[in-house]
Amino acid sequence: MAALAGARRRQRAAAPRTAFRVGRTTRWVVLVLTGLYFLVPIVASGRYAFEGNGGAFSLASLGLVARDTALWDGVVTSLEISAGTALITLLLLVPTSIWINLRLPSWRRTMENLTLLPLVVPAVVLVLGILTSFRNLPGLLLGTPVILALEYVVLALPYTYRAIDSGVRAIDLHTLVEASRSLGAGWVQCFRLVLLPNLRGSIFAAAFLSVGFCLGEFAIANLLTFNTFPTRLYEVGTEYATEAVTVSVLGLVVTWAVLLGISALGGRGPRRRGAAGLPLLSDPAASGEARAAAVADAGTGSS
Amino acid sequence: MDTTPSAGGRALPSSGLAPGRAARHPGRLLRHALGVGPFLCYLTLFLIVPSAAVVTSAFQSPSGGFTWANIRASLSGVYLQAYGGSLELSAIAALASAVLGTIIAVALASSDRPLLHRLVTTGCGVMANTGGLPLAFAFIASIGNFGIVTEMLSALGFNPYDHGFSLYSLAGLAIVYCYFLIPLMVLVMLPAVQALRQEWFEAAAMLGARRRQCWQLVGIPVLAPAFLAALMVLFTDAFAAYATADVLTQGSIGLVPIEIGSLIQGNVLAGQQNLGDALGFGMILVVVVVGVAYAVLQRRAARWQR
C-alpha cells in the first residue's frame, strides 16, 4: 500500500507544471459547468424519449420506432453507404499513403494540404456542384445512393487520411518492405502479409471514422432526396417529436459506441504491441484526435 | 534503369536519399508520381470538378453567356441578410467556443489526474463529432419550447421564453453550435497550453521580465498559432453547418446554407440554379478569405516566435 501511495505521489510530482496558476475551486467550477453543459441535453433527451404518462419510465416510443419501416429502410441504406465509403476510402488511401511514404516523401506536405481541400467546400455547395456537373450523366450515378458513398469518401478525407497516414508513418516502412522483398515476397504478398497486419489499427480507425461520418451526414443526402437514416429521422421529427428524440438517442448511442471503439483501439494498440518490443501500431487515432490533427495541419499548412 | 517496381526495392540501402535521387531523374519522379494518380483523379472528379462547376456557373446566364447578374442578385435583399446572419452566427459561435475551450483546456492542464485527462479528451473526441440532427433534437428536448429544462425553470417561476430567450434564434443556434465546437477547441489547445511551462515564465522573470512582458514575449507567441488555427476552423465549421440550423430555424432565420438548400429543393425557375451557384461561390470565397487572413496572421505570429 505504502509503495502504491509512493508511486502515486511520484507520478503526481512528475506532472508538468504549466504557466497557468489555477486554484482548485476555479478548476472544479469550470469543469463541472462544462460537464453540465454537455450532459444536460443528453439526459434531457433520454428522459424525453422514455417518459410515459405521469413521469414513469416507458418504452412505448420504441414500439413506434420499431414499426416505422421507412426508418429501417433508411438504416439499411445508411449501412450500405457506410460499407461502400469505408471500402473505397481504404482502397484509395492505404496504397496512396504507403506509396507517398515509400517513394515520394517530399510530397507528404502536399498530400496533407490536398486532403484539407474538402474543408474549403461546404457540403451544401458540393451538392450544387454535383447537380451542375453530373446533371448530364446517366441516372445511374445521380439516381442511386452510390453518389453519396463516392462523395462521403471525399468529405471524410481530412480525417481518414490522417488516421491512415499516422499509422503508416509509425511503422518502419522501408525496413519491412526491404526485408520481405529480399526474402522473395512479391509486392502483393508484401502488402497482404506484412504491411496490412501492421496497419490494422489505423485501418480500423479510418473505417470507423468513415462509418461514423456516413451515419450522421444529413445535408447531402437530404438535398439529393435519398432516404437514409438521418433524412428519415428528419421526417419523423417533423411529425412525432417524441419518436424522433427516441431515434436520435438510439442513433447517438450507436455513433458513440463506434467512436469509443476507435478510441479504445487507439489506446490499447501500442501497449499490447509495445510489450513485444515492436511499436507497430500507430498512436491513438481517436476520431477527435484525427480532427484536431487536421486543424493543426490547417494551421501549419496554409502559411 | 529497371522499370519494374522492384527497382526501389533494390536501391534500399540508400532509400533515405530517395527524394533527392528521384528529383535528379525526371523519368523516375514521373513514374513515382503515377502512384498518386488514382488518388488525384478521384479528388479531381468528385471535389475539384463540382467546385469548379459551381464557380463557373455562378458567372453564367441561363443561356450560357458571362454575366454578373447572379452575383449581384446573391448580394441583395434576403440573400445579403443571409450572409450577414451566417457571418454573425459563425463569428459569435467561433469566438465563444474558442475562449471557453481555452479556459477549459487551462483548467484541465492545471490538474494532474491522468484519469480526468483521459475522460475529458475521450469525451471531447466523441462530442466534437456529435453534430447534425441528434444534437438539434437533444437541445429541443432540453431547452426547446417544451423542453425539460425549460419546464423545470418555469416551474421555478422563470420561463426563459418570457425573458427574450429562444432556442430558435441566432443566440440559440450559437449555444447549440458551441456543443460541437468547444470540444474541438479543447483538443487543439490542450497540447499548446501544456507546452507552456512555468519554468519559461520563471526564466523570463529572472531575466527581468514583468508579468505582462512574460505573457507578451513568451505566453502569447506560444499559444497564438494553435488558437488562431482553431479559430479559423471553428469559424468555417459553423459557417458551413446545415443540418442543425435547418431543424432549429425551419427557415425563420436567413443563413446562406439554408438559402442554398431551399433553392436546391424548391424546383425553382431556370435562372435560380445559377443564383444558388453564386451563393455557393460566395461561401467558398468566405472560407478562402478567412484562410488567407489567417495565413497573414500566422506569418506575423511566426515573426514573434523568432
Side-chain angles (χ1 to χ4, degrees):
Chain A
M1 256 337 254
L4 256 178
R8 195 180 159 81
R9 215 174 299 130
R10 236 173 291 131
Q11 194 184 4
R12 287 209 165 193
R17 286 189 307 155
T18 64
F20 296 96
R21 287 185 221 124
V22 183
R24 257 181 96 83
T25 333
T26 324
R27 181 200 313 156
W28 283 107
V29 166
V30 169
L31 291 177
V32 167
L33 283 180
T34 310
L36 276 180
Y37 172 67
F38 283 99
L39 287 181
V40 163
I42 308 295
V43 174
S45 35
R47 263 195 68 178
Y48 200 89
F50 299 111
E51 190 175 39
N53 292 334
F57 179 75
S58 149
L59 291 174
S61 57
L62 270 186
L64 277 172
V65 172
R67 281 194 293 278
D68 189 337
T69 49
L71 181 69
W72 291 109
D73 287 346
V75 169
V76 170
T77 312
S78 277
L79 289 177
E80 286 169 356
I81 294 171
S82 306
T85 306
L87 197 69
I88 302 173
T89 298
L90 295 178
L91 286 179
L92 195 64
L93 295 188
V94 173
T96 304
S97 173
I98 290 177
W99 187 259
I100 290 279
N101 283 289
L102 204 57
R103 290 278 180 271
L104 289 167
S106 54
W107 278 40
R108 276 182 192 156
R109 256 266 85 91
T110 319
M111 276 299 287
E112 274 170 9
N113 291 340
L114 278 179
T115 55
L116 286 175
L117 276 183
L119 294 180
V120 178
V121 186
V124 185
V125 180
L126 196 57
V127 175
L128 286 171
I130 294 166
L131 288 175
T132 311
S133 51
F134 301 149
R135 198 169 22 186
N136 301 323
L137 290 179
L140 183 72
L141 192 59
L142 270 189
T144 65
V146 171
I147 183 71
L148 291 183
L150 291 171
E151 290 297 342
Y152 289 172
V153 171
V154 172
L155 287 177
L157 194 61
Y159 318 120
T160 48
Y161 182 76
R162 265 150 201 82
I164 288 177
D165 198 51
S166 72
V168 173
R169 281 190 202 192
I171 63 175
D172 194 350
L173 193 61
H174 284 284
T175 311
L176 286 176
V177 171
E178 275 168 48
S180 59
R181 300 278 298 150
S182 68
L183 287 171
W187 275 101
V188 176
Q189 270 181 307
C190 166
F191 191 72
R192 196 168 59 86
L193 297 175
V194 178
L195 295 181
L196 279 191
N198 277 317
L199 293 172
R200 213 172 359 175
S202 51
I203 284 175
F204 271 119
F208 276 128
L209 273 173
S210 37
V211 170
F213 183 88
C214 293
L215 292 181
E217 208 287 331
F218 170 71
I220 299 184
N222 185 46
L223 293 175
L224 292 178
T225 61
F226 288 112
N227 180 31
T228 63
F229 173 61
T231 58
R232 178 60 195 163
L233 181 56
Y234 179 80
E235 284 171 9
V236 172
T238 55
E239 288 172 52
Y240 322 99
T242 314
E243 199 188 347
V245 175
T246 311
V247 182
S248 79
V249 169
L250 294 179
L252 274 183
V253 170
V254 171
T255 315
W256 287 346
V258 167
L259 293 169
L260 287 175
I262 306 174
S263 176
L265 264 179
R268 198 187 40 172
R271 232 174 297 141
R272 197 185 51 205
R273 293 285 174 139
L278 287 170
L280 290 179
L281 274 180
S282 71
D283 48 325
S287 60
E289 283 160 45
R291 289 202 62 158
V295 175
D297 285 350
T300 49
S302 54
S303 56
Chain B
M1 284 290 273
D2 192 342
T3 47
T4 62
S6 67
R10 280 205 269 108
L12 283 171
S14 58
S15 54
L17 298 171
R21 289 171 48 139
R24 262 182 266 126
H25 296 273
R28 182 177 298 174
L29 181 67
L30 197 68
R31 220 168 38 247
H32 285 176
L34 275 183
V36 200
F39 173 80
L40 292 180
C41 287
Y42 194 96
L43 198 66
T44 307
L45 186 56
F46 293 109
L47 182 71
I48 312 285
V49 166
S51 311
V54 169
V55 175
T56 51
S57 160
F59 294 97
Q60 270 175 354
S61 63
S63 59
F66 178 87
T67 176
W68 287 99
N70 308 316
I71 302 289
R72 229 175 288 129
S74 76
L75 288 176
S76 63
V78 61
Y79 300 114
L80 190 64
Q81 281 172 13
Y83 273 113
S86 267
L87 290 175
E88 193 183 342
L89 172 62
S90 327
I92 293 173
L95 268 177
S97 307
V99 171
L100 293 173
T102 309
I103 292 175
I104 295 166
V106 167
L108 187 64
S110 69
S111 152
D112 48 13
R113 290 166 197 269
L115 195 67
L116 184 69
H117 274 249
R118 179 126 183 95
L119 188 73
V120 175
T121 47
T122 307
C124 282
V126 172
M127 295 301 180
N129 288 284
T130 304
L133 299 182
L135 184 62
F137 285 137
F139 269 90
I140 292 175
S142 40
I143 54 171
N145 271 336
F146 304 104
I148 284 175
V149 176
T150 312
E151 281 178 1
M152 272 163 68
L153 284 176
S154 46
L156 292 173
F158 179 84
N159 186 341
Y161 282 79
D162 295 340
H163 294 79
F165 173 82
S166 168
L167 179 63
Y168 317 96
S169 67
L170 213 66
L173 270 183
I175 292 177
V176 181
Y177 281 15
C178 284
Y179 199 90
F180 57 86
L181 296 178
I182 288 179
L184 191 56
M185 190 70 193
V186 173
L187 286 177
V188 176
M189 284 310 283
L190 194 58
V193 168
Q194 280 172 333
L196 194 61
R197 295 296 166 76
Q198 175 68 47
E199 288 85 343
W200 297 357
F201 273 35
E202 281 163 6
M206 286 234 268
L207 293 169
R210 277 185 295 267
R211 192 75 190 163
R212 199 175 66 91
Q213 283 175 311
C214 284
W215 278 108
Q216 210 174 340
L217 299 171
V218 181
I220 292 174
V222 169
L223 295 183
F227 187 86
L228 289 176
L231 190 62
M232 176 189 73
V233 174
L234 298 191
F235 180 88
T236 52
D237 252 21
F239 190 66
Y242 169 79
T244 320
D246 192 33
V247 176
L248 285 178
T249 68
Q250 299 285 0
S252 63
I253 307 173
L255 296 172
V256 184
I258 305 285
E259 298 293 344
I260 294 178
S262 54
L263 280 175
I264 293 174
Q265 281 174 323
N267 255 343
V268 281
L269 301 166
Q272 302 273 48
Q273 163 88 43
N274 299 79
L275 177 59
D277 288 327
L279 283 171
F281 170 67
M283 283 192 86
I284 296 180
L285 201 64
V286 168
V287 176
V288 169
V289 166
V290 170
V292 169
Y294 161 76
V296 172
L297 272 176
Q298 185 72 23
R299 203 158 298 151
R300 295 205 59 175
R303 217 177 297 149
W304 297 334
Q305 278 174 325
R306 241 179 269 134

